Amino acid sequence: MTSTTPVAEKTALTVEKVGGRIGAVISGVRLDGDLDKATVAAVRDAILAHKVVFFRDQHHLDAASHEAFGRLLGEPVAHPTVPSVDGRYALGIDNEHGGRANQWHTDVTFVPAYPAFSILRAEVVPPYGGNTLWSNTAAAYAGLPEPLRVLADSLRGVHTNDYDYAAVRPDAPTTALEQHRKVFTSTTFKTEHPVVRVHPETGERTLILGNFLQKLSGLNGRDSRALIDLFQSHVERPENTVRWQWRAGDVAIWDNRATQHYGVDDSDDHERTLRRVTVDGDVPVGVDGRRSVLLAPESVPEPGYGIASGASTDGVLAEA
Ligand SMILES: [Fe+2]
C-alpha cells in the first residue's frame, strides 16, 4: 500500500493505491443513497483516476441501498437478457447458477451504450479463491508501440453475446452453464464498436476488446483473431492489472469504459454470491469521431423492469 491521501476535507475519505496502474482502496465512507455531494464527487474522481476502487465492510448494504447508491453515479440499467434477482436492477453473480465470468471482458459490450460503471457487492465469499482481476485498458493502449496505436485507432470490431462458448470454454459445460447460456443469449445482440474509444469523461483513449468481441470489421477470420490476440495480450499484462481477494461486505466499483475484468474460477463448489448494479453508459466514439452501431436486433427489447443497458441507442442503428 502507498501513502494515504485525504481527498475530501469534509469527510474522512482516504484513497490508497493498491497497484501502480490500477486499483485503490477507499476508506472512511459508508456507501448509501444519502451520501453528500462532495463525497460522491470524490468517489467518482477516484474511480476515474484508478479505474477500480474497493470498499471494505459495507455489510449494511442490501439490494435497495445498493441501487440507491448506484443512482448517485448514474441511471441504473437492467441487463439486456438476464433477469434480475430482486425484480429491479440487482444482477446475481452466483457460481451455483452458471454465473462464472472466467474470461476477460468488459460488461455488456454487445450493446452500444454499455454501462459506464459496475458496482459489485460481495454477500457470500468462498473460503479460498474466487478472486477478481481488473485491467486498465487506457494503460494498455498507452503502452502500445506507436505503430500498433495507429493500427488500433483505425479498427472497428463486432461484439456479440452469442459468441462461440465452446471455443473459449474448453471444459464441458454443465447443465447449469447451458441453462445460463440459453438465458444470456435469449436475444442475440451484435454491435460494432471502434477498437479505441475516446473516454467521455477523461479524454483518455481506451481499448474495447474482451470476450464479446467476435471479429474485426473488414478482416478475414485468421487476421482478425491474430490482431485481437495481439491487442488483448497488452490488456492482460500483469503490470496493467490488479487482483482482489474478496471478503463479505466488500464493494468494488469500476469504470467499465476503461477496464476489463476476470472472475477466477478456482473456489471449487464453495458458495460465492455477489450482486451487481450497473449504471447507464453512452455510445462510444472512436478516434475518428465515428460512433458505435447496433447491428442487431433492430431495437433493444424492454427488460422486465426499468430500462435496459444500451437503451440509449438513438442514432446508432445500422442504416438499412
Ligand atoms: Fe463482468
Side-chain angles (χ1 to χ4, degrees):
M1 299 249 174
T2 56
S3 62
T4 298
T5 312
V7 294
E9 269 185 32
K10 286 184 187 166
T11 72
L13 184 152
T14 59
V15 180
E16 297 171 86
K17 288 180 73 162
V18 292
R21 296 186 192 160
I22 179 170
V25 172
I26 298 184
S27 310
V29 180
R30 186 179 192 274
L31 298 176
D32 61 37
D34 299 323
L35 278 183
D36 63 275
K37 278 188 178 168
T39 302
V40 174
V43 168
R44 190 182 189 99
D45 286 349
I47 302 167
L48 294 176
H50 301 288
K51 314 309 185 201
V52 58
V53 297
F54 307 103
F55 302 80
R56 294 285 196 192
D57 299 320
Q58 305 293 318
H59 301 278
H60 59 280
L61 284 175
D62 57 14
S65 52
H66 186 173
E67 177 187 322
F69 167 71
R71 208 169 278 286
L72 298 176
L73 294 177
E75 181 70 29
V77 282
H79 192 279
T81 55
V82 181
S84 73
V85 291
D86 68 344
R88 292 174 63 91
Y89 294 110
L91 185 75
I93 295 176
D94 174 353
N95 61 1
E96 293 296 296
H97 297 101
R100 298 173 197 258
N102 58 335
Q103 298 292 330
W104 281 103
H105 66 283
T106 296
D107 287 333
V108 202
T109 57
F110 46 86
V111 298
Y114 59 83
F117 299 111
S118 291
I119 306 157
L120 188 58
R121 176 169 64 87
E123 287 191 342
V124 180
V125 301
Y128 54 84
N131 297 177
T132 302
L133 288 82
W134 285 263
S135 171
N136 179 341
T137 57
Y141 175 83
L144 291 173
E146 172 72 15
L148 290 184
R149 286 205 299 272
V150 171
L151 175 59
D153 287 348
S154 73
L155 294 170
R156 292 170 72 89
V158 176
H159 294 239
T160 179
N161 55 330
D162 193 19
Y163 62 91
D164 185 355
Y165 284 65
V168 298
R169 297 195 100 114
D171 44 334
T174 64
T175 309
L177 287 174
E178 271 301 296
Q179 185 55 34
H180 178 76
R181 192 207 157 168
K182 249 184 213 161
V183 172
F184 198 83
T185 59
S186 53
T187 301
T188 298
F189 290 88
K190 278 184 192 288
T191 294
E192 187 190 66
H193 291 296
V195 166
V196 179
R197 74 177 288 185
V198 180
H199 193 290
E201 293 190 73
T202 66
E204 291 175 302
R205 294 181 182 189
T206 67
L207 293 167
I208 313 180
L209 301 167
N211 75 329
F212 298 123
L213 174 54
Q214 188 175 46
K215 75 181 294 286
L216 297 175
S217 305
L219 301 185
N220 69 31
R222 185 173 174 174
D223 292 346
S224 174
R225 180 45 51 195
L227 286 177
I228 290 171
D229 288 347
L230 171 64
F231 291 119
Q232 181 66 25
S233 73
H234 289 263
V235 173
E236 297 175 20
R237 286 192 68 194
E239 288 81 358
N240 291 330
T241 71
V242 67
R243 182 175 182 131
W244 188 250
Q245 185 171 15
W246 293 98
R247 288 186 214 150
D250 284 357
V251 171
I253 310 176
W254 60 94
D255 184 343
N256 196 51
R257 302 158 298 183
T259 52
Q260 285 187 29
H261 56 281
Y262 183 115
V264 182
D265 182 11
D266 65 345
S267 48
D268 299 317
D269 291 328
H270 292 290
E271 184 180 353
R272 181 177 183 270
T273 302
L274 299 98
R275 294 286 178 263
R276 190 181 89 194
V277 171
T278 53
V279 304
D280 207 10
D282 44 17
V283 178
V285 178
V287 173
D288 58 2
R290 286 176 65 200
R291 285 153 49 99
S292 302
V293 176
L294 179 68
L295 304 176
E298 288 189 359
S299 64
V300 177
E302 292 282 315
Y305 180 85
I307 60 169
S309 179
S312 318
T313 51
D314 287 352
V316 298
L317 297 178
E319 298 192 5

